[in-house]
Amino acid sequence: MWLCVKHTGVFVTFLFLTVCGPPASAQEYQVTHFTVEDGLPSPETYFVHEDIHGYIWIGTDRGLCRYDGYEFTNFNTGNSGLTNNTVFKCYEAPNHDLWFTCYDGSISIYKIESSRFEPFEFNDSIQTWFSYWPKQIVFHQRSTSIYGYNENYFLAEVRNGSILKVYNEHLEQQKEFDTIISDSEVFKVVNTSPKVVYSTSVDFAFPEDSPPLRYLNSFVVSDTLWFWDKTKLYMYVDDLLTVYDVESPINHVVARQGLLVMAQRGGYQLLLGKLKRVRAFPSNASYSDDDREKGLWISTLNDGVYRFFLPESGGELPVFIHHHTSIISLSATENHLLAGTKGEELVAYKGHGIYTIVSKFTDNARDYHMSQMISYGGITITNGGFVLSEADSELRCERLVQNSISVANCKITEDRMFTTTYKPGYEITDMFGNVVYSNSLGGFRVSTLHRLGSTLLVGGQNGLLTFDIRDDDPVVKLVSHTLSQYEITGIESTSGKFVFGTMGRGLIIQALNRFYNLTSLDGLLSNIVNCVKFENDSILWVGTNKGLSKVLIAKDLRRSRVLYSLNTDDGLVSDFIYAIEFWRNQIWMGTDKGLISVPLSYTPNQVPPRLNIEKLIIDNTWFNPTKKSYRWQQQELSIKFVGISFNKPEKGFYRYRLHRLGDERPPYHYTNNTTASFNNLTKGKYVFEINCKNKNNVWSETHSYTFRVSPHWTQSLFMYIVLCLLGLWFALFLLRWRSKVIKRQTLQSSYLRELEMKFAESEVALLRNQMNPHFVFNALNSIQSFVLERDIHMASDYISRFSKLMRSSLNYSRKDFIPLEQEISFLESYMKIEKLRFPSRFDFKVRCTENVDVDDLDIPPLLLQPLVENSVKHAFDSETVGGFITVTFDQNEEYLICVIEDNGLGFLHSQSSTREKHVSIGLDVIQSRLLLIYNEGDEAFMDIDDLTNIGEGTGTRVTIKLPIA
């Protein structure tokens, strides 16, 4: 918000004799007065200065203060690096640093880039050398001159990081300083701009109380030297010195549209060689300075600071005040400007302040405002039934409708009038005021009229209606549902474009059935529009309750914009504009404070505002705008900015947007707030764009602030690298640990396997050894039978064969595998022994197919013997004769196939007999051996088939498949 300031209500009429010509009549200026109530630290002020960023600096006896258009910021020795609280003068260095001279003789320097105060590094020297504070500082290309008073010297020169004393006798060598040197009746002036040395010996002497050597204020304008001392103002030109006496001591002199002298008891203007008192000027003015928007700032020694707005465009805004009665309607003829007043008057102006009251509503019991005028066909019709025309430069007026109490009238034909009354609807009357036709329009109250050919556009509280005025009974039509939601207060048309002023929604522009809304956010002074008027096909003037706006209506309606605006800040007497009319190259405005005019050629000051990004607020912490990167945790980012303009619009002063690089730019956000806040920004690089405008829609330069939101430390590249390294280390650790586990498990498995293998070998050997007692038991039984039968020969032969078989069995028992040939030989030897016991019970045969290579195949020893033994013992009973046992060996690519087949009782029959336990022992031993020997790779198989059960005769077939290594 604008800082609340006090408007004096007094307008100063500076009738300066200027180079721009004579002033316009009745010209007025607005004054803004700032005091301690507005934020000044003291009413005693010494200077005003505008810096490069547009801030207004004010020196006081209680510190410095800075004004940004909103509020005052105060600086003193307690809250900044200011060296003294009494600050007399400000000097701006070439790098735009501000040098402030203080009461104690010190200098404080405000660094414009860092926004910090620093004491002048040679303060100790100049405070010792000068008797008072420095009187002037002049910046040169390579040095700085500091002037002050002392009986021995008055100049200090700063060069190359050191300071040098310059004494009185060296002054004539100085060619670039601004001072006056007096010695009795002779004085010299050496000035920096232009670099000219003035010297004279005219008959002149300074007052007796002046010291022999003295510095005086001075400046040069158009080869005229002005300087002053106490109550004397001196003008030196063409070797002629002129002295002007001022009633009170002079504090300051400024050349602003003339010469303005600021004295202790008011202001004076030098006019036609004479000093004239300016009544409304503040007393004890100490200094003045211009701002970029043509405002004149004046500091005072006891009453704060004043800002006089002096609008200029090669000159001042010529605002003419012609009549102080409220003017609410306007129309123009060739030689007259017609105005209707709130006091029921109809006034005709001829220009130059000459006007005539044409007529009044004198015959009505109640007062009615002269609020509407409709002009067409060379005549003007007003409410009240006045018809005005012009002939031979003379204005003629007739009162045709004597009893009308209408708000607005429009002539339809030569003998009929369209009349809108205070009540809803309209009436058509004849020339004598008799009502011919009326229509209430359903409560529609008319606010404005606009004639387009034979069509009459009627705007009111509920939108827009049309009438065909050629019909005796006009047909009412609703123009557009879009407009029905607005109250229409003004209508204008040109070249197919229609403009509707509304109450609260600004302008509605229509072309080719397309609508565009122009509001205060687009620069319009107000959304409450009182009147509209086209100057040409593209320029529209809009009167509002807050001033006048000039609008460009573009072919592409979206490009329509406000060119500039005028209100009391620019010199108008009122902001409330009732009516607009063009006459004699002027735009005329009827206001609640009178009739005023402005030249159509006038262009306001187009100085854009200054915009500064001041601070950043990150998680409630202030940062300098130079910060470019923010941590992930800092999710709340606020940007503090300020646009400095004393010509602000009411709404939409700033516009800004924030977007991430690479993303689509969002639309601008319009605001009057000086802070933009953003929350939960994700990581990435962002661009913040902002600018501001004055009320004339002059935009400042766009400020772009680029910053980066860094990711959380867990999402940073460094952390990714650390996590990758940790992950790699962990993976290597796991691999190493897994390798150790696997190695340990492998060692354990290898050890267990070795134990298992040893155990298996032991178990195989044990099983193998179990067969030997079994076989030995049966053999001994056979030998016993031979002995009992006293067959010594057979017993001897049996024992011989048995011993050989046992020897082979002992040899084979030490081996895991033996050649197939040896196994076949062992089986044949065994069955021959068994046949000796049972010569007639069975016969046998061992054979190999042609696929079997008996030399290259190995087989576990004594594997088949128990099966053959089972056939011998269990397949045939004691009564069996002609039994047969066949052992066949075959081979394919994967297996050695061993088949033991007999034609005995069959497996199932033998299992059910009392000999079951003898059969099961042999089979279990063979099965266990196969599992132990062939526990990896291809497995060994053993199948037992009862031939009787499968329909292949009688007997048993045992098939063993042994994998071929």
Side-chain angles (χ1 to χ4, degrees), residues 64-90:
L64 276 170
C65 63
R66 188 182 69 181
Y67 182 56
D68 60 9
Y70 294 89
E71 60 184 359
F72 289 94
T73 302
N74 296 318
F75 303 93
N76 51 54
T77 55
N79 64 9
S80 67
L82 199 64
T83 58
N84 190 273
N85 285 332
T86 302
V87 186
F88 286 129
K89 194 73 179 291
C90 175

PDB file of all heavy atoms in Angstrom, residues 64-90:
ATOM      1  N   LEU A  64      19.812   9.271   8.833  1.00  0.00           N
ATOM      2  CA  LEU A  64      19.363   9.238   7.441  1.00  0.00           C
ATOM      3  C   LEU A  64      18.061   8.466   7.346  1.00  0.00           C
ATOM      4  O   LEU A  64      17.769   7.591   8.166  1.00  0.00           O
ATOM      5  CB  LEU A  64      20.404   8.546   6.573  1.00  0.00           C
ATOM      6  CG  LEU A  64      21.585   9.351   6.037  1.00  0.00           C
ATOM      7  CD1 LEU A  64      22.615   8.421   5.420  1.00  0.00           C
ATOM      8  CD2 LEU A  64      21.105  10.361   5.006  1.00  0.00           C
ATOM      9  N   CYS A  65      17.275   8.770   6.317  1.00  0.00           N
ATOM     10  CA  CYS A  65      16.124   7.931   6.015  1.00  0.00           C
ATOM     11  C   CYS A  65      16.031   7.768   4.502  1.00  0.00           C
ATOM     12  O   CYS A  65      16.498   8.614   3.730  1.00  0.00           O
ATOM     13  CB  CYS A  65      14.827   8.496   6.586  1.00  0.00           C
ATOM     14  SG  CYS A  65      14.336  10.087   5.914  1.00  0.00           S
ATOM     15  N   ARG A  66      15.442   6.644   4.103  1.00  0.00           N
ATOM     16  CA  ARG A  66      15.313   6.319   2.679  1.00  0.00           C
ATOM     17  C   ARG A  66      13.853   5.987   2.397  1.00  0.00           C
ATOM     18  O   ARG A  66      13.238   5.183   3.096  1.00  0.00           O
ATOM     19  CB  ARG A  66      16.206   5.122   2.333  1.00  0.00           C
ATOM     20  CG  ARG A  66      16.282   4.823   0.849  1.00  0.00           C
ATOM     21  CD  ARG A  66      17.140   3.599   0.600  1.00  0.00           C
ATOM     22  NE  ARG A  66      16.488   2.381   1.088  1.00  0.00           N
ATOM     23  CZ  ARG A  66      17.029   1.169   1.006  1.00  0.00           C
ATOM     24  NH1 ARG A  66      18.258   1.027   0.500  1.00  0.00           N
ATOM     25  NH2 ARG A  66      16.388   0.124   1.463  1.00  0.00           N
ATOM     26  N   TYR A  67      13.319   6.594   1.338  1.00  0.00           N
ATOM     27  CA  TYR A  67      11.912   6.425   0.997  1.00  0.00           C
ATOM     28  C   TYR A  67      11.823   5.653  -0.312  1.00  0.00           C
ATOM     29  O   TYR A  67      12.494   5.979  -1.301  1.00  0.00           O
ATOM     30  CB  TYR A  67      11.249   7.796   0.853  1.00  0.00           C
ATOM     31  CG  TYR A  67       9.768   7.742   0.545  1.00  0.00           C
ATOM     32  CD1 TYR A  67       8.888   7.052   1.376  1.00  0.00           C
ATOM     33  CD2 TYR A  67       9.243   8.397  -0.561  1.00  0.00           C
ATOM     34  CE1 TYR A  67       7.535   7.019   1.105  1.00  0.00           C
ATOM     35  CE2 TYR A  67       7.890   8.374  -0.837  1.00  0.00           C
ATOM     36  CZ  TYR A  67       7.042   7.678  -0.007  1.00  0.00           C
ATOM     37  OH  TYR A  67       5.693   7.640  -0.277  1.00  0.00           O
ATOM     38  N   ASP A  68      10.991   4.587  -0.331  1.00  0.00           N
ATOM     39  CA  ASP A  68      10.857   3.749  -1.518  1.00  0.00           C
ATOM     40  C   ASP A  68       9.487   3.864  -2.175  1.00  0.00           C
ATOM     41  O   ASP A  68       9.136   3.029  -3.007  1.00  0.00           O
ATOM     42  CB  ASP A  68      11.130   2.284  -1.163  1.00  0.00           C
ATOM     43  CG  ASP A  68      10.175   1.743  -0.108  1.00  0.00           C
ATOM     44  OD1 ASP A  68       9.194   2.438   0.224  1.00  0.00           O
ATOM     45  OD2 ASP A  68      10.406   0.620   0.382  1.00  0.00           O
ATOM     46  N   GLY A  69       8.729   4.893  -1.821  1.00  0.00           N
ATOM     47  CA  GLY A  69       7.385   5.038  -2.377  1.00  0.00           C
ATOM     48  C   GLY A  69       6.328   4.426  -1.501  1.00  0.00           C
ATOM     49  O   GLY A  69       5.133   4.660  -1.707  1.00  0.00           O
ATOM     50  N   TYR A  70       6.748   3.602  -0.519  1.00  0.00           N
ATOM     51  CA  TYR A  70       5.822   2.954   0.402  1.00  0.00           C
ATOM     52  C   TYR A  70       6.052   3.409   1.842  1.00  0.00           C
ATOM     53  O   TYR A  70       5.127   3.750   2.555  1.00  0.00           O
ATOM     54  CB  TYR A  70       5.972   1.427   0.341  1.00  0.00           C
ATOM     55  CG  TYR A  70       5.572   0.818  -0.972  1.00  0.00           C
ATOM     56  CD1 TYR A  70       6.498   0.672  -2.005  1.00  0.00           C
ATOM     57  CD2 TYR A  70       4.276   0.378  -1.194  1.00  0.00           C
ATOM     58  CE1 TYR A  70       6.139   0.100  -3.214  1.00  0.00           C
ATOM     59  CE2 TYR A  70       3.903  -0.195  -2.400  1.00  0.00           C
ATOM     60  CZ  TYR A  70       4.844  -0.333  -3.411  1.00  0.00           C
ATOM     61  OH  TYR A  70       4.478  -0.887  -4.601  1.00  0.00           O
ATOM     62  N   GLU A  71       7.321   3.376   2.257  1.00  0.00           N
ATOM     63  CA  GLU A  71       7.628   3.657   3.650  1.00  0.00           C
ATOM     64  C   GLU A  71       9.048   4.209   3.757  1.00  0.00           C
ATOM     65  O   GLU A  71       9.849   4.107   2.817  1.00  0.00           O
ATOM     66  CB  GLU A  71       7.491   2.389   4.494  1.00  0.00           C
ATOM     67  CG  GLU A  71       8.419   1.277   4.040  1.00  0.00           C
ATOM     68  CD  GLU A  71       8.203  -0.002   4.814  1.00  0.00           C
ATOM     69  OE1 GLU A  71       7.334   0.008   5.708  1.00  0.00           O
ATOM     70  OE2 GLU A  71       8.889  -0.998   4.542  1.00  0.00           O
ATOM     71  N   PHE A  72       9.336   4.771   4.937  1.00  0.00           N
ATOM     72  CA  PHE A  72      10.661   5.300   5.231  1.00  0.00           C
ATOM     73  C   PHE A  72      11.452   4.262   6.017  1.00  0.00           C
ATOM     74  O   PHE A  72      10.948   3.679   6.977  1.00  0.00           O
ATOM     75  CB  PHE A  72      10.561   6.593   6.038  1.00  0.00           C
ATOM     76  CG  PHE A  72      10.041   7.766   5.245  1.00  0.00           C
ATOM     77  CD1 PHE A  72       8.684   8.077   5.248  1.00  0.00           C
ATOM     78  CD2 PHE A  72      10.907   8.547   4.503  1.00  0.00           C
ATOM     79  CE1 PHE A  72       8.206   9.147   4.523  1.00  0.00           C
ATOM     80  CE2 PHE A  72      10.438   9.623   3.773  1.00  0.00           C
ATOM     81  CZ  PHE A  72       9.073   9.926   3.782  1.00  0.00           C
ATOM     82  N   THR A  73      12.709   4.053   5.601  1.00  0.00           N
ATOM     83  CA  THR A  73      13.646   3.218   6.340  1.00  0.00           C
ATOM     84  C   THR A  73      14.695   4.125   6.953  1.00  0.00           C
ATOM     85  O   THR A  73      15.352   4.888   6.231  1.00  0.00           O
ATOM     86  CB  THR A  73      14.308   2.183   5.424  1.00  0.00           C
ATOM     87  OG1 THR A  73      13.289   1.378   4.815  1.00  0.00           O
ATOM     88  CG2 THR A  73      15.264   1.291   6.202  1.00  0.00           C
ATOM     89  N   ASN A  74      14.855   4.054   8.260  1.00  0.00           N
ATOM     90  CA  ASN A  74      15.748   4.960   8.967  1.00  0.00           C
ATOM     91  C   ASN A  74      17.077   4.280   9.280  1.00  0.00           C
ATOM     92  O   ASN A  74      17.125   3.105   9.652  1.00  0.00           O
ATOM     93  CB  ASN A  74      15.101   5.448  10.263  1.00  0.00           C
ATOM     94  CG  ASN A  74      13.863   6.281   9.995  1.00  0.00           C
ATOM     95  OD1 ASN A  74      13.853   7.108   9.089  1.00  0.00           O
ATOM     96  ND2 ASN A  74      12.814   6.073  10.776  1.00  0.00           N
ATOM     97  N   PHE A  75      18.167   5.063   9.143  1.00  0.00           N
ATOM     98  CA  PHE A  75      19.521   4.600   9.438  1.00  0.00           C
ATOM     99  C   PHE A  75      20.142   5.559  10.451  1.00  0.00           C
ATOM    100  O   PHE A  75      20.034   6.780  10.304  1.00  0.00           O
ATOM    101  CB  PHE A  75      20.385   4.564   8.175  1.00  0.00           C
ATOM    102  CG  PHE A  75      19.833   3.714   7.074  1.00  0.00           C
ATOM    103  CD1 PHE A  75      19.033   4.279   6.084  1.00  0.00           C
ATOM    104  CD2 PHE A  75      20.099   2.357   7.013  1.00  0.00           C
ATOM    105  CE1 PHE A  75      18.513   3.504   5.056  1.00  0.00           C
ATOM    106  CE2 PHE A  75      19.585   1.574   5.993  1.00  0.00           C
ATOM    107  CZ  PHE A  75      18.793   2.153   5.015  1.00  0.00           C
ATOM    108  N   ASN A  76      20.807   4.983  11.443  1.00  0.00           N
ATOM    109  CA  ASN A  76      21.511   5.808  12.422  1.00  0.00           C
ATOM    110  C   ASN A  76      22.743   5.057  12.902  1.00  0.00           C
ATOM    111  O   ASN A  76      23.052   3.960  12.433  1.00  0.00           O
ATOM    112  CB  ASN A  76      20.592   6.169  13.592  1.00  0.00           C
ATOM    113  CG  ASN A  76      19.908   4.952  14.186  1.00  0.00           C
ATOM    114  OD1 ASN A  76      20.575   3.983  14.560  1.00  0.00           O
ATOM    115  ND2 ASN A  76      18.584   4.998  14.276  1.00  0.00           N
ATOM    116  N   THR A  77      23.456   5.663  13.827  1.00  0.00           N
ATOM    117  CA  THR A  77      24.699   5.044  14.306  1.00  0.00           C
ATOM    118  C   THR A  77      24.447   3.753  15.056  1.00  0.00           C
ATOM    119  O   THR A  77      25.355   2.925  15.195  1.00  0.00           O
ATOM    120  CB  THR A  77      25.446   6.029  15.225  1.00  0.00           C
ATOM    121  OG1 THR A  77      24.566   6.438  16.294  1.00  0.00           O
ATOM    122  CG2 THR A  77      25.891   7.259  14.451  1.00  0.00           C
ATOM    123  N   GLY A  78      23.216   3.555  15.504  1.00  0.00           N
ATOM    124  CA  GLY A  78      22.928   2.351  16.265  1.00  0.00           C
ATOM    125  C   GLY A  78      22.601   1.152  15.413  1.00  0.00           C
ATOM    126  O   GLY A  78      22.865   0.015  15.799  1.00  0.00           O
ATOM    127  N   ASN A  79      22.027   1.353  14.217  1.00  0.00           N
ATOM    128  CA  ASN A  79      21.610   0.207  13.404  1.00  0.00           C
ATOM    129  C   ASN A  79      22.359   0.087  12.084  1.00  0.00           C
ATOM    130  O   ASN A  79      22.003  -0.748  11.246  1.00  0.00           O
ATOM    131  CB  ASN A  79      20.103   0.271  13.123  1.00  0.00           C
ATOM    132  CG  ASN A  79      19.716   1.487  12.293  1.00  0.00           C
ATOM    133  OD1 ASN A  79      20.559   2.204  11.777  1.00  0.00           O
ATOM    134  ND2 ASN A  79      18.416   1.723  12.182  1.00  0.00           N
ATOM    135  N   SER A  80      23.365   0.927  11.864  1.00  0.00           N
ATOM    136  CA  SER A  80      24.125   0.858  10.616  1.00  0.00           C
ATOM    137  C   SER A  80      25.535   1.377  10.871  1.00  0.00           C
ATOM    138  O   SER A  80      25.905   1.682  12.005  1.00  0.00           O
ATOM    139  CB  SER A  80      23.436   1.682   9.516  1.00  0.00           C
ATOM    140  OG  SER A  80      23.478   3.069   9.826  1.00  0.00           O
ATOM    141  N   GLY A  81      26.307   1.515   9.813  1.00  0.00           N
ATOM    142  CA  GLY A  81      27.668   2.018   9.945  1.00  0.00           C
ATOM    143  C   GLY A  81      27.782   3.519   9.800  1.00  0.00           C
ATOM    144  O   GLY A  81      28.877   4.039   9.519  1.00  0.00           O
ATOM    145  N   LEU A  82      26.678   4.239   9.986  1.00  0.00           N
ATOM    146  CA  LEU A  82      26.701   5.694   9.895  1.00  0.00           C
ATOM    147  C   LEU A  82      27.615   6.256  10.991  1.00  0.00           C
ATOM    148  O   LEU A  82      27.556   5.826  12.144  1.00  0.00           O
ATOM    149  CB  LEU A  82      25.287   6.233  10.047  1.00  0.00           C
ATOM    150  CG  LEU A  82      25.012   7.657   9.559  1.00  0.00           C
ATOM    151  CD1 LEU A  82      25.221   7.771   8.054  1.00  0.00           C
ATOM    152  CD2 LEU A  82      23.582   8.056   9.914  1.00  0.00           C
ATOM    153  N   THR A  83      28.451   7.212  10.618  1.00  0.00           N
ATOM    154  CA  THR A  83      29.432   7.735  11.573  1.00  0.00           C
ATOM    155  C   THR A  83      28.859   8.797  12.504  1.00  0.00           C
ATOM    156  O   THR A  83      29.383   9.030  13.590  1.00  0.00           O
ATOM    157  CB  THR A  83      30.627   8.327  10.826  1.00  0.00           C
ATOM    158  OG1 THR A  83      30.163   9.355   9.937  1.00  0.00           O
ATOM    159  CG2 THR A  83      31.348   7.254  10.016  1.00  0.00           C
ATOM    160  N   ASN A  84      27.775   9.477  12.072  1.00  0.00           N
ATOM    161  CA  ASN A  84      27.171  10.509  12.916  1.00  0.00           C
ATOM    162  C   ASN A  84      25.706  10.638  12.517  1.00  0.00           C
ATOM    163  O   ASN A  84      25.360  10.470  11.343  1.00  0.00           O
ATOM    164  CB  ASN A  84      27.900  11.850  12.750  1.00  0.00           C
ATOM    165  CG  ASN A  84      27.461  12.879  13.784  1.00  0.00           C
ATOM    166  OD1 ASN A  84      26.504  13.606  13.598  1.00  0.00           O
ATOM    167  ND2 ASN A  84      28.186  12.922  14.910  1.00  0.00           N
ATOM    168  N   ASN A  85      24.847  10.976  13.443  1.00  0.00           N
ATOM    169  CA  ASN A  85      23.416  11.031  13.164  1.00  0.00           C
ATOM    170  C   ASN A  85      22.972  12.324  12.493  1.00  0.00           C
ATOM    171  O   ASN A  85      21.847  12.391  11.985  1.00  0.00           O
ATOM    172  CB  ASN A  85      22.620  10.827  14.452  1.00  0.00           C
ATOM    173  CG  ASN A  85      22.613   9.381  14.900  1.00  0.00           C
ATOM    174  OD1 ASN A  85      22.726   8.478  14.076  1.00  0.00           O
ATOM    175  ND2 ASN A  85      22.497   9.153  16.199  1.00  0.00           N
ATOM    176  N   THR A  86      23.798  13.353  12.516  1.00  0.00           N
ATOM    177  CA  THR A  86      23.456  14.600  11.843  1.00  0.00           C
ATOM    178  C   THR A  86      24.152  14.611  10.483  1.00  0.00           C
ATOM    179  O   THR A  86      25.371  14.717  10.399  1.00  0.00           O
ATOM    180  CB  THR A  86      23.886  15.817  12.669  1.00  0.00           C
ATOM    181  OG1 THR A  86      23.251  15.755  13.952  1.00  0.00           O
ATOM    182  CG2 THR A  86      23.497  17.111  11.983  1.00  0.00           C
ATOM    183  N   VAL A  87      23.348  14.504   9.418  1.00  0.00           N
ATOM    184  CA  VAL A  87      23.878  14.345   8.055  1.00  0.00           C
ATOM    185  C   VAL A  87      23.432  15.546   7.237  1.00  0.00           C
ATOM    186  O   VAL A  87      22.229  15.793   7.071  1.00  0.00           O
ATOM    187  CB  VAL A  87      23.389  13.027   7.420  1.00  0.00           C
ATOM    188  CG1 VAL A  87      24.060  12.822   6.074  1.00  0.00           C
ATOM    189  CG2 VAL A  87      23.664  11.847   8.349  1.00  0.00           C
ATOM    190  N   PHE A  88      24.425  16.301   6.710  1.00  0.00           N
ATOM    191  CA  PHE A  88      24.125  17.581   6.058  1.00  0.00           C
ATOM    192  C   PHE A  88      23.963  17.487   4.542  1.00  0.00           C
ATOM    193  O   PHE A  88      23.164  18.201   3.956  1.00  0.00           O
ATOM    194  CB  PHE A  88      25.227  18.597   6.371  1.00  0.00           C
ATOM    195  CG  PHE A  88      25.179  19.129   7.773  1.00  0.00           C
ATOM    196  CD1 PHE A  88      26.303  19.127   8.573  1.00  0.00           C
ATOM    197  CD2 PHE A  88      23.998  19.620   8.300  1.00  0.00           C
ATOM    198  CE1 PHE A  88      26.260  19.621   9.863  1.00  0.00           C
ATOM    199  CE2 PHE A  88      23.941  20.117   9.598  1.00  0.00           C
ATOM    200  CZ  PHE A  88      25.076  20.102  10.387  1.00  0.00           C
ATOM    201  N   LYS A  89      24.743  16.647   3.889  1.00  0.00           N
ATOM    202  CA  LYS A  89      24.752  16.699   2.418  1.00  0.00           C
ATOM    203  C   LYS A  89      25.070  15.314   1.868  1.00  0.00           C
ATOM    204  O   LYS A  89      25.692  14.490   2.529  1.00  0.00           O
ATOM    205  CB  LYS A  89      25.819  17.712   1.939  1.00  0.00           C
ATOM    206  CG  LYS A  89      25.724  18.106   0.479  1.00  0.00           C
ATOM    207  CD  LYS A  89      24.540  19.019   0.214  1.00  0.00           C
ATOM    208  CE  LYS A  89      24.453  19.427  -1.243  1.00  0.00           C
ATOM    209  NZ  LYS A  89      25.540  20.335  -1.646  1.00  0.00           N
ATOM    210  N   CYS A  90      24.629  15.094   0.633  1.00  0.00           N
ATOM    211  CA  CYS A  90      24.883  13.823  -0.066  1.00  0.00           C
ATOM    212  C   CYS A  90      25.527  14.116  -1.408  1.00  0.00           C
ATOM    213  O   CYS A  90      25.108  15.032  -2.134  1.00  0.00           O
ATOM    214  CB  CYS A  90      23.571  13.053  -0.266  1.00  0.00           C
ATOM    215  SG  CYS A  90      23.755  11.553  -1.247  1.00  0.00           S
TER     216      CYS A  90
END
